[in-house]
């Protein structure tokens, strides 16, 4: 029997879609029809190509796009490339190949891979962030930010590696050393562009309430923005008239318990306040802090470090002097870069005070059974002068009122969110549309855009902290666009985030030379109806894109305050399960259920783990065991795909073996879309077999005609009921992205249909229509073989007949004294008396009732009958 010829027909239909531009969205769509904008987070085209985890989100979005077209929507389903970035620049440094050439090669490979999977993108709308016609508008958006005073220059620390002669990104520095070469790096200040995202903090918070996003993602954004209400308090410095240290606190009621202060090593007052006897110690400490990242200082550091400045501040609540310390767990980037330390009410401050012998005063009464150190709970103020006896909330209000009356502080709202550092000392990024005249920035006029990157002889670091463009010669020196005075171009470039902040808008109108986007088209298509992408972008990309969108909204460029109405994160596809057998020092195998922390829980002996080939493993219930000794359970785990682990699966290989449709179905059938799942090539074999069953259901054994069971006949009632239940299930599941259960429903239907002697054409056509979004190649071919000349892509989606969802009859079990004695078929709307009558008459039931006294007759509606008789 001829199998499903996927290689032949997938190539055939991909060629058909390309030649006919089947999925091209009209430039001016019929505005009377509903729209659906479904968007993928566009990929960075690396030289490694896709692995099987990448297409998961693309497959789901494609299913929805195809389904919505069949429901009569105008669908916008585009793709493009987020192609600026560090990896391509590093490749250029190593090989001398221009980044644009490497990018073009990588994009071509990705495009071929995506097309081979049958994704219904409108390829005429393809964008690339490195295309000057695209980044012209990224530069234009920067101009809007600059004109609205949302872009400014500020000294910000960067990682500088003297040995490599270049600045490095945070991810390139590990423990203060360069990832490449292991050279010592230091933090150096550099004047850079910063975007005032904090001006939109409250709008970004409020907007989350209206979005259909995962709660966890919205909470992550709220935490990142980190709005806190409290007080800003001024501490005078003893012996330094006019000097003061400002701190922000959410707990002004604890001010009487502030027994010392801590400044970040970068705080501007450290040099001024440090006494001569402490200067050398403080200087060495600050140098050490400069070699550590903020993450290492704030989160990864277990033991607190710090040094005293020798200076004292005055606690404004009680007038007492308190020592001023420098410690790297306080960050200049958060709050004011200084804290008042209240060890009685803060665990971190308690640890520091305990380590350095500093005073601890409780200002909130702990409950009698409290046995901890710092008490961070609710309670009554103590040791706090005029606050004593007040509940914490009232004490906070009273203290702020007192601070404002005394001129020593004020009510204040603080944000964890920092302004966005928007400069990179790179070559491969968007140039800033800025020139400097006498050191002051001027923006280029619109007709000077795009400002393109200069050609360089090489891409190695220039040796200057400014980056490679500092050596750009004739490109660097220019003149003012306003009056022709000598000018110098900006040597920083924009970060990779820039182009990905607004790409969804360019898809709407990709060839517009006069505007970023046509207002009429933007009003029709926005907001994005469904955005699918990885949870790793839950904060930064999404927050930055929302910020830019809100700026464009205020500028009248876009019509919606938010860009993405609904967001879904796909789960991670992990590598195949890896199996580990544990053995003791004698080489004896130990079952994994006895292993804890690498030791045998019975003997305490240390164990060694060894990998077991999957061919030597069988599944026993919920456990994986050795095939040769089923008493030995194995540790079975899936890990994130990585080249170093050797568990990366190339989709090209899977498609070559089983076809794109089988690959698509398996990725969706693995489990709930938003959960992590381990890859299994054996699982693809299962979806491939399903497609063969569908093929054999409709195509004859020779492969060139229809199955003899296909007939132009009226469907039977049972066939129609099963069909419409399947239509309802698949429709609801696609709408809710429960794609695994939609596929399961189609499998169940196919299994049932293969047992029918006759398959009416109407039923066969409906099955193919339901399959079309999920497995489009085989669906196109089967639709064609069923006699249709046009593509299935725009055929009408099957409608459910609600009457056929109501079952006419039911089969229920009948028990006697709790034991099942038979089954009966009853009308679905039968009353209790009629059901009991039918149950008594059932042949196998009646003989168990004969001659027995009936004590009770129990009917659980639509489920079961139980007769209780005297024994």
């Amino acid at each position: 029997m001829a199998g499903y010829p996927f290689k032949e027909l997938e190539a055939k239909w991909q060629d058909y879609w390309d030649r006919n531009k089947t999925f091209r969205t009209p430039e001016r769509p019929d505005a009377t029809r509903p729209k659906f904008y479904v968007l993928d987070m566009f990929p960075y085209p690396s030289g490694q190509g896709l692995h099987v985890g990448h297409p998961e989100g693309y497959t789901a979005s494609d299913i929805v796009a195809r389904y919505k077209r069949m429901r009569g929507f105008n669908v916008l389903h585009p793709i493009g490339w987020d192609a600026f970035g560090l990896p391509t620049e590093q490749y250029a440094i190593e090989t001398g190949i221009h980044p644009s050439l490497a990018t073009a090669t990588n994009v071509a490979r990705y495009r071929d891979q995506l097309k081979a999977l049958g994704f219904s993108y409108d390829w005429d709308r393809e964008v690339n962030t490195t295309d000057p016609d695209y980044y012209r508008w990224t530069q234009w958006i920067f101009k809007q930010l600059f004109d609205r005073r949302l872009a400014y220059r500020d000294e910000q620390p960067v990682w500088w590696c003297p040995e490599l002669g270049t600045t490095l990104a945070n991810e390139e520095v590990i423990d203060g050393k360069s990832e490449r070469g292991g050279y010592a790096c230091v933090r150096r200040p550099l004047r850079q562009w910063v975007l005032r995202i904090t001006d939109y903090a409250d709008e970004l918070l409020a907007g989350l309430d209206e979005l259909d996003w995962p709660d966890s993602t919205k909470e992550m954004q709220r935490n990142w923005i980190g709005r806190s209400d409290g007080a800003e308090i001024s501490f005078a410095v003893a012996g330094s008239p006019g000097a003061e240290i400002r701190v922000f606190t959410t707990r002004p009621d604890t001010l009487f318990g502030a027994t010392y202060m801590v400044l970040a090593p970068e705080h501007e007052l450290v040099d001024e306040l440090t006494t001569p006897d402490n200067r050398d110690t403080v200087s060495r400490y600050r140098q050490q802090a400069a070699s550590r990242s903020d993450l290492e200082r704030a989160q990864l550091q277990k033991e607190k470090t710090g040094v005293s400045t020798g200076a004292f501040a005055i606690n404004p609540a009680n007038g007492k002097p308190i020592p001023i310390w420098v410690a790297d767990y306080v960050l200049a980037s958060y709050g004011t870069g200084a804290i008042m330390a209240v060890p009685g009410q803060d665990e971190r401050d308690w640890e520091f005070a305990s380590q350095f012998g500093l005073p601890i005063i409780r200002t909130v009464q702990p409950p009698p059974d409290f046995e901890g150190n710092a008490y961070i709970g609710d309670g009554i103020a103590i040791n706090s002068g005029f606050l004593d006896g007040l509940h914490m909330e009232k004490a906070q209000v009273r203290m702020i009122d007192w601070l404002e009356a005394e001129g020593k502080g004020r009510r204040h709202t603080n944000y964890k969110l920092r302004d966005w550092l928007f400069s990179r000392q790179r070559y491969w990024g968007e140039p800033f549309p800025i020139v400097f005249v006498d050191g002051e920035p001027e923006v280029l006029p619109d007709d000077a855009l795009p400002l393109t990157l200069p050609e360089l002889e090489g891409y190695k670091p220039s040796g200057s902290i400014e980056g490679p463009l500092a050596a750009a010669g004739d490109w660097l020196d220019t003149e003012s666009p306003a009056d022709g005075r000598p000018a110098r171009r900006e040597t920083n470039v924009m970060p990779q985030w820039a182009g990905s902040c607004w790409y969804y808008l360019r898809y709407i109108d990709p060839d517009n030379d006069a505007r970023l986007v046509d207002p009429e088209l933007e009003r029709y298509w926005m907001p994005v109806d469904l955005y699918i992408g990885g949870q790793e972008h839950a904060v930064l990309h999404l927050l930055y894109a929302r910020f830019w969108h809100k700026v464009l909204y205020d500028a009248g460029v876009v019509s919606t305050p938010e860009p993405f109405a609904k967001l879904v994160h796909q789960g991670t596809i992990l590598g195949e399960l890896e199996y580990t057998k544990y053995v003791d020092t004698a080489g004896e195998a130990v079952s994994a259920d006895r292993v804890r922390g690498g030791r045998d829980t019975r003997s305490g002996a240390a164990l060694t783990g060894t990998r077991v080939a999957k061919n030597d493993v069988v599944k026993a219930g919920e456990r994986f065991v050795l095939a040769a000794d089923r008493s030995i359970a194995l540790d079975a785990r899936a890990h994130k795909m990585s080249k170093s682990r050797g568990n990366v699966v190339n989709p090209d290989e899977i498609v070559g073996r089983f076809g794109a449709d089988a690959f698509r179905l398996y990725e969706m059938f693995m489990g709930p879309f938003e959960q992590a799942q381990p890859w299994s090539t054996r699982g693809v074999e299962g979806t491939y077999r399903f497609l063969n069953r569908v093929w054999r259901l409709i195509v004859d054994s020779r492969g060139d005609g229809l199955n003899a069971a296909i007939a132009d006949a009226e469907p039977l009632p049972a066939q129609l009921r099963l069909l419409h239940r399947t239509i309802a299930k698949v429709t609801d599941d696609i709408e809710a992205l429960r794609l695994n259960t939609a596929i399961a429903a189609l499998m169940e239907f196919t299994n049932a249909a293969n047992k029918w002697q006759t398959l009416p054409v109407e039923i066969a056509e409906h099955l193919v229509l339901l399959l079309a979004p999920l497995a489009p190649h085989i669906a196109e071919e089967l639709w064609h073989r069923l006699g249709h000349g046009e593509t299935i892509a725009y055929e009408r989606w099957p409608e459910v007949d609600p009457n056929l969802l109501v079952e006419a009859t039911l089969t229920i079990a009948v028990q006697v004294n709790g034991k099942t004695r038979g089954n009966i078929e009853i009308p679905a709307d039968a009353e209790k008396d009629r059901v009991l009558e039918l149950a008594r008459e059932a042949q196998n039931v009646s003989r168990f009732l004969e001659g027995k006294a009936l004590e009770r007759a129990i009917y659980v509606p639509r489920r079961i009958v139980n007769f209780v008789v005297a024994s």
Side-chain angles (χ1 to χ4, degrees), residues 510-740:
D511 300 318
N512 195 328
D513 291 331
R515 296 178 125 150
L516 183 150
V517 61
D518 181 279
E520 182 181 346
L521 292 173
E522 185 278 330
R523 282 193 297 273
Y524 177 75
W525 285 114
M526 288 299 291
V528 173
D529 297 284
L530 176 62
Y531 195 21
I532 295 179
Q535 194 167 13
E536 66 272 19
H537 301 297
V539 176
L540 293 182
H541 159 62
L542 291 168
L543 195 67
Y544 293 157
R546 294 180 62 224
F547 164 50
W548 274 34
H549 193 86
K550 288 180 180 296
V551 173
L552 293 174
Y553 179 70
D554 289 344
V557 178
V558 298
S559 60
T560 65
E562 291 284 347
F564 314 122
K566 181 179 177 64
L567 172 72
V568 176
H569 298 304
Q570 77 269 21
T572 303
I573 293 183
L574 305 171
E576 296 224 26
L577 284 174
E578 297 175 13
Y579 306 100
T580 301
K581 177 180 71 174
Y582 291 97
V583 295
D584 59 21
T585 54
E588 293 295 322
V590 176
S591 192
D593 46 24
R594 282 172 44 190
V595 179
R596 295 289 183 277
R599 291 186 175 274
D600 187 338
T601 55
R602 293 184 186 175
S603 67
L607 302 172
T608 302
T610 59
R611 290 279 289 274
V612 179
K614 63 182 178 182
N615 290 336
D616 297 327
V617 178
V618 294
K619 192 171 185 182
E622 297 300 314
R623 304 193 312 167
F624 291 91
V625 298
L626 278 176
D629 183 353
R630 300 195 175 204
S631 68
I632 302 299
L634 304 173
D635 180 57
R637 298 188 188 189
H639 301 268
K640 188 174 181 180
M641 289 188 187
S642 68
K643 286 178 67 179
S644 61
R645 195 167 190 92
N647 64 348
V648 174
V649 180
N650 187 329
D652 299 349
E653 297 174 7
I654 303 301
V655 171
R657 287 178 61 189
F658 303 106
D661 284 344
F663 176 88
R664 290 166 59 111
L665 286 177
Y666 175 65
E667 292 232 324
M668 298 298 96
F669 191 58
M670 294 170 75
F673 178 64
E674 296 168 67
Q675 292 182 11
Q677 304 288 342
W679 176 265
S680 170
T681 300
R682 290 178 181 174
V684 192
E685 295 173 4
T687 54
Y688 175 66
R689 286 194 299 271
F690 161 64
L691 290 175
N692 273 282
R693 288 197 299 273
V694 174
W695 181 259
R696 291 193 299 269
L697 182 66
I698 296 175
V699 178
D700 66 18
S701 59
R702 297 185 310 277
D704 57 6
L706 292 179
N707 190 319
I710 301 286
D712 189 11
E714 283 293 319
L716 300 173
Q719 292 174 326
L720 284 174
R721 283 197 297 273
L722 178 59
L723 171 66
H724 282 265
R725 284 203 301 272
T726 305
I727 294 171
K729 176 65 175 168
V730 174
T731 302
D732 290 347
D733 284 350
I734 291 179
E735 290 280 0
L737 284 181
R738 294 188 299 265
L739 301 173
N740 58 323

Side-chain angles (χ1 to χ4, degrees), residues 273-480:
L273 298 180
T274 302
T275 62
D277 291 345
N278 296 67
R279 194 167 301 281
D280 288 345
T281 303
V282 170
S283 178
R284 285 194 299 272
Y285 185 81
R286 296 178 80 187
Q287 289 176 1
Q288 292 170 6
S291 67
R292 310 182 70 205
S293 69
D294 287 356
L295 179 65
E296 291 173 308
R297 286 167 51 177
Q299 297 181 29
L300 304 182
Q301 181 172 246
K302 294 182 179 179
E303 183 176 341
K304 297 292 181 291
T305 64
V307 291
S308 172
T309 66
F312 289 81
I314 304 301
N315 186 323
N318 55 24
K320 293 180 179 180
I322 58 176
I324 303 171
W325 284 65
V326 174
D328 65 0
Y329 76 88
V330 176
L331 305 177
S333 59
Y334 180 67
T336 64
I339 66 165
M340 66 176 207
V342 186
Q345 268 43 76
D346 185 281
E347 290 283 1
R348 185 180 59 174
D349 295 345
W350 180 288
E351 292 174 14
F352 192 90
S354 300
Q355 186 168 334
F356 293 102
L358 296 165
I360 297 174
I361 300 173
R362 292 198 190 279
T363 57
V364 178
Q365 181 66 58
D369 58 352
F370 179 71
E371 297 179 352
N373 296 323
Y375 175 63
I376 60 175
D378 207 351
I380 303 299
I382 58 173
N383 301 320
S384 298
F386 60 85
L387 300 180
D388 282 353
L390 293 178
H391 189 271
M392 191 176 80
E393 291 182 1
K394 291 184 178 179
Q396 289 177 4
V397 175
R398 177 76 179 276
M399 176 57 80
I400 296 175
D401 290 343
W402 181 84
L403 289 167
E404 290 186 333
E406 296 293 321
K408 297 179 179 180
R410 63 189 179 97
R411 283 178 172 79
H412 187 66
T413 299
N414 193 52
Y415 298 90
K416 193 185 297 182
L417 179 69
R418 300 292 90 194
D419 280 344
W420 176 10
L421 178 60
F422 198 66
S423 292
R424 297 294 184 271
Q425 295 73 54
R426 301 278 173 230
Y427 170 75
W428 195 231
E430 298 94 334
F432 283 94
I434 293 287
V435 297
F436 293 95
V437 181
D438 296 329
E440 293 300 315
E442 291 184 6
V443 292
L444 298 178
D446 287 356
D447 60 12
L449 303 181
L451 171 62
T452 58
L453 287 165
E455 293 292 331
L456 297 180
E457 291 184 7
Y459 309 98
K460 292 184 178 180
S462 65
S464 164
I465 195 170
E466 289 186 279
L469 292 183
D474 294 342
W475 180 88
L476 194 62
D477 296 316
T478 183
E479 59 184 31
S480 165

